[in-house]
Each structure stands twice: as C-alpha cells, then as structure tokens.
Amino acid sequence: MHLPDFEAWAMFACVVEHRSFSAAAQTLGVSKATVSKAISRLEARLGTALFHRTSRRLTLTDSGRALAEQAQRILAEGQAAEEQALESARAPTGLVRLAAPMTFGVRHVAPALADFMLAHPGIEVDLHLSDARVDIVAEGIDIALRIADLPDSSLRARRLSAVSSHVVASPGYLERHGTPTHPAQLADHACFGYTNIANPTWTFQGPGGEQAAVRVVGPLSTNNGEAMVPALKAGVGIARLPDFIVDPEIKKGELVKILNDWRAPPVALHLLTPPSARRPARVELLISWLSERFRNICDPGDTGPGFRGTVD
C-alpha cells in the first residue's frame, strides 16, 4: 500500500493560501527549500505541474487550481483531527478567519466577537468585512455570514434568521415627487442601485400573489447599503434596504416605508462553512457562539430550521 504524501499536500495547501513559498515556509516554521522540495515531490508523483513559477510571480496551473480545494481540505481535516485529540487537555487556541457583510459586521458581528474573545482568550479572529461575495474556500475562510437567497453548492449552510427589506424614501422626497403605489411606478423615480447585484431589476410579490418586476435607475450606485442612507435622508431618491440598516431612521421618522403591500423576494442570514465535516474546535466554538447570538436576530418571529443541506 502506497500512502499519500500528506506532508506535501499540506504544504501545497499552505502555499496556495499564502501565494508564496517563502510565506508558507515561514508559517510552517520550515525552510523555503523544504517547501519547494515537497511541492516538487508532489508534482512528480502526480505527473503534473501545480504552479507556474517565474522570478516575480507564482500562479496556479489548471491542475493546481483543480487540486487546491482538496489540498486545503486535507490540511484542514488533519488540523481538526489533532485539535480534537488535544482539546480535552487544553482550551482551544489559534486563528479563525471570519467573513461578514460590512454593515451587519460592524453593527452586530464586531460586538459579538468582543464577547467571544473575552470568553475564549486563546482564540484569535481575522474578520473580513465586505458586501462582495467571498469564495470562502479559495480565500481560506473558516466561517462566512451571508445575507442572501442561496443557490445550491458544496458549502454547508445554517440558516439563522429571515431578513426583511423595505422600499424607503424620505418624507421630503415623497412630498416633492409623489408616493408610488405600485412597483411599476418606480421606473419614474430616482432609485439607488446596489452594485454587488448584477441585475438592477427589483422584483415583488403583491396582493393576491401578483408578481411585479421593474428595472430601476437613479443617481447613486454603491456596493454598501448603509452608504445610501445619507442620500436617502437628504431626499435624493428611493432605495430597497434590509430593516437592520434603515430601522433607526424609520423609527425617527427620517425615512418612510412605501409599497407596504408588496414584498421583496425572501432572503435570510446564513452561516456558511467549507464542505469538510471535520473542523477545529476553535471554529466549532465560534460557529456555536454566532449561531446562538444571531438566531432570529433580524426576525424574532422566525424559528429557523438550522442546517438545511449544502448551499452557498
């Protein structure tokens, strides 16, 4: 029986993550030559090059890209197995990489992490905040929080909370331009665009199940919903945003919900992890913490079914 070269696979995964032989060697505490020999050994065994190497750049070959996810899975499962064996003897330690949407991350994730790190001082968190979609496998992310209607994929997803959104504008804007009573009327208004969604069409379901779709245009486009709020309050236009962004302004009367009989497509807050079933104890702890903290946070009336398959 010829065993796989697990060390070489792990070093390959580390080079992919750090995009450098030198950085991988430093992380692993070995020489650059040791890493280089391991990659060459693995390439010889597989009969294919994994990297294109030049004096200035290191890039994956097609074969390398195809094998990178499997290598990262091998490394993650090996680390998780060791940590599970050791966790009974010591408290979990190490780094967890977490990705979250910008506004939700600042308002909710950051406070939750402060409490988590006080409770688990040996665990470090690398928090990535962005409204752009993140490839959590390619970026080496352990946990991602995502607000979306998720398509099927190989990732594991836990639904934490429904997220409601509303079409909103300032009282001043509505006084000057009128209040739309049907989604089709939005085509005649200044509507803000969310650039992380390629299609600028807003869809709705209305009374009696009526469907409506309208292509919106306006003077402001941005990749972050919270950035729309000052222009909304100033009366520049109309936006469709989740409640957790606009609720404070609605309560103060600075923004008004319109088209209340019409509902946007349902979305939810999900917690995503890579497909491997084995995770380090530190990652499991943060998953449990976030799941408890954010269950039904955006919709107290929603029970949320927990893990519901493998979606992205």
Side-chain angles (χ1 to χ4, degrees):
M1 180 179 177
H2 200 52
L3 291 176
D5 190 341
F6 292 113
E7 181 182 61
W9 279 103
M11 289 188 177
F12 170 48
C14 199
V15 173
V16 171
E17 178 180 348
H18 294 282
R19 300 177 175 87
S20 164
F21 277 49
S22 298
Q26 185 175 3
T27 299
L28 295 170
V30 299
S31 68
K32 180 181 176 181
T34 298
V35 174
S36 181
K37 288 177 182 177
I39 299 302
S40 296
R41 193 168 68 239
L42 185 59
E43 289 176 325
R45 184 161 183 175
L46 297 174
T48 185
L50 299 173
F51 295 100
H52 295 298
R53 302 172 178 85
T54 68
S55 59
R56 295 185 178 180
R57 192 175 182 188
L58 180 71
T59 58
L60 285 165
T61 64
D62 290 342
S63 296
R65 278 191 294 272
L67 294 169
E69 182 176 340
Q70 296 178 51
Q72 289 166 329
R73 190 178 305 174
I74 290 170
L75 175 58
E77 292 194 355
Q79 291 172 328
E82 286 191 354
E83 289 201 16
Q84 287 181 359
L86 293 170
E87 66 179 342
S88 60
R90 59 172 174 82
T93 61
L95 179 67
V96 181
R97 294 181 175 88
L98 170 65
M102 179 66 71
T103 301
F104 187 83
V106 171
R107 294 189 182 184
H108 298 289
V109 178
L113 288 181
D115 294 338
F116 175 80
M117 289 185 290
L118 285 174
H120 303 283
I123 299 177
E124 304 167 12
V125 180
D126 182 6
L127 176 61
H128 298 252
L129 295 179
S130 174
D131 289 341
R133 180 170 176 155
V134 177
D135 185 335
I136 71 173
V137 173
E139 296 294 327
I141 301 296
D142 297 301
I143 305 168
L145 294 169
R146 191 172 294 167
I147 297 173
D149 180 25
L150 301 179
D152 290 339
S153 85
S154 62
L155 301 184
R156 303 183 71 206
R158 178 180 295 181
R159 184 179 184 275
L160 301 182
S161 175
V163 177
S164 299
S165 61
H166 292 283
V167 181
V168 294
S170 71
Y173 177 91
L174 298 175
E175 183 178 345
R176 292 191 303 273
H177 301 282
T179 301
T181 57
H182 190 281
Q185 297 171 0
L186 293 172
D188 299 322
H189 286 265
C191 296
F192 298 163
Y194 184 57
T195 56
N196 282 319
I197 298 176
N199 187 355
T201 299
W202 293 359
T203 58
F204 298 87
Q205 183 174 31
E210 180 184 355
Q211 304 290 322
V214 58
R215 186 175 180 85
V216 296
V217 295
L220 176 64
S221 295
T222 178
N223 62 358
N224 176 254
E226 191 169 19
M228 300 179 189
V229 174
L232 282 170
K233 291 164 60 177
V236 177
I238 295 174
R240 186 166 74 180
L241 290 169
D243 285 354
F244 68 84
I245 291 181
V246 295
D247 267 351
E249 286 73 22
I250 292 172
K251 289 176 181 177
K252 289 184 287 188
E254 296 173 331
L255 295 178
V256 177
K257 294 188 288 187
I258 60 177
L259 298 174
N260 292 322
D261 291 334
W262 295 83
R263 296 287 176 262
V267 295
L269 172 66
H270 294 85
L271 185 151
L272 308 180
T273 57
S276 173
R278 188 185 297 275
R279 291 183 287 261
R282 62 182 182 273
V283 175
E284 292 286 2
L285 273 176
L286 185 53
I287 288 173
S288 296
W289 187 279
L290 296 174
S291 297
E292 181 64 27
R293 184 76 167 245
F294 297 146
R295 186 164 299 281
N296 305 324
I297 187 172
C298 300
D299 184 359
D302 178 37
T303 57
F307 272 113
R308 61 176 185 86
T310 54
V311 296
D312 180 7

